[in-house]
Amino acid sequence: NDTILHEKCIEILYDRAKKEKHYSFYCPKIFYHNDPEIIWYAGGDINLRKPNGVVHYGFNEKDSIKYDKDREISFATGCAIFCHTDTFINHGMLTENFFIYCEDVDWSKRIQNARGIGLYVPNACMWHKVGQTYSNDINKQLKRIYLFSRNRFIVQRNYRGILSTFIMILIYFSGKASRKAFIAFMKLD
């Protein structure tokens, strides 16, 4: 229960899916709930060279007309996916083994590998209570870091191979995220 949809969001997505059936999935424009003019997601693309595996267009930017155009996308955030039943039949569901984090990257990558593509539908809007899953409790934050890191490495291994995953692990653990995790760990009694 961490999202609020505009009253017409589903209707708009449904109409687009009905008219343009060749897309594998459809995604709305997503704003931060606590800062409703700031974009969290205005479409996205998979980029396994990035630390989180994806690019969110408009991320942390104030909404503007440049985010009001339809765009073909390769990444559907798990926060909001609208698709035809055939998409799940042909590509499977989001993988439960991930539990949280990167299950949407994995699912989107399967669709991309099958030459599927999604559509960002900017006039369908919603607001996301980002970070609500885990509070500021240090143990929960460590669990979040662990799950994200583990799942990101699994996606990397599955789609880019062992060598690429090893290189990513070296870069990751020499970076800011690992320092934050280490500092948080050292603060535990």
Side-chain angles (χ1 to χ4, degrees), residues 20-172:
E20 300 181 61
K21 295 181 181 181
H22 60 283
Y23 289 107
S24 299
F25 57 84
Y26 310 82
C27 294
K29 183 187 295 185
I30 304 173
F31 296 94
Y32 286 94
H33 180 265
N34 64 347
D35 202 348
E37 296 295 316
I38 304 299
I39 294 172
W40 183 73
Y41 174 90
D45 280 310
I46 296 171
N47 183 343
L48 295 181
R49 292 184 178 149
K50 295 281 186 183
N52 65 353
V54 299
V55 175
H56 274 217
Y57 299 116
F59 183 70
N60 284 339
E61 292 184 28
K62 188 169 175 62
D63 192 18
S64 70
I65 60 170
K66 73 179 181 179
Y67 299 113
D68 287 345
K69 295 179 181 136
D70 292 356
R71 171 187 300 148
E72 289 188 345
I73 55 175
S74 61
F75 172 65
T77 174
C79 179
I81 304 170
F82 192 94
C83 65
H84 302 281
T85 305
D86 287 351
T87 301
F88 289 120
I89 292 169
N90 295 331
H91 306 289
M93 303 292 279
L94 277 73
T95 306
E96 290 183 22
N97 293 347
F98 286 107
F99 175 63
I100 190 172
Y101 304 121
C102 297
E103 73 284 2
D104 48 6
V105 179
D106 175 68
W107 186 78
S108 297
K109 187 66 179 157
R110 280 185 270 143
I111 291 170
Q112 183 186 49
N113 285 352
R115 305 233 186 270
I117 194 77
L119 181 67
Y120 162 65
V121 183
N123 56 336
C125 298
M126 63 179 285
W127 294 264
H128 181 31
K129 298 175 186 175
V130 177
Q132 184 172 303
T133 305
Y134 290 102
S135 68
N136 288 330
D137 176 87
I138 191 69
N139 291 321
K140 289 181 179 180
Q141 287 296 320
L142 288 173
K143 184 175 182 177
R144 182 188 67 78
I145 291 167
Y146 164 75
L147 288 170
F148 178 82
S149 301
R150 179 198 72 171
N151 293 350
R152 181 62 187 92
F153 297 146
I154 290 169
V155 168
Q156 190 75 12
R157 182 196 66 212
N158 289 348
Y159 297 103
R160 298 283 309 237
I162 296 294
L163 180 58
S164 176
T165 305
F166 180 71
I167 291 168
M168 179 187 197
I169 289 170
L170 290 175
I171 293 168
Y172 185 83

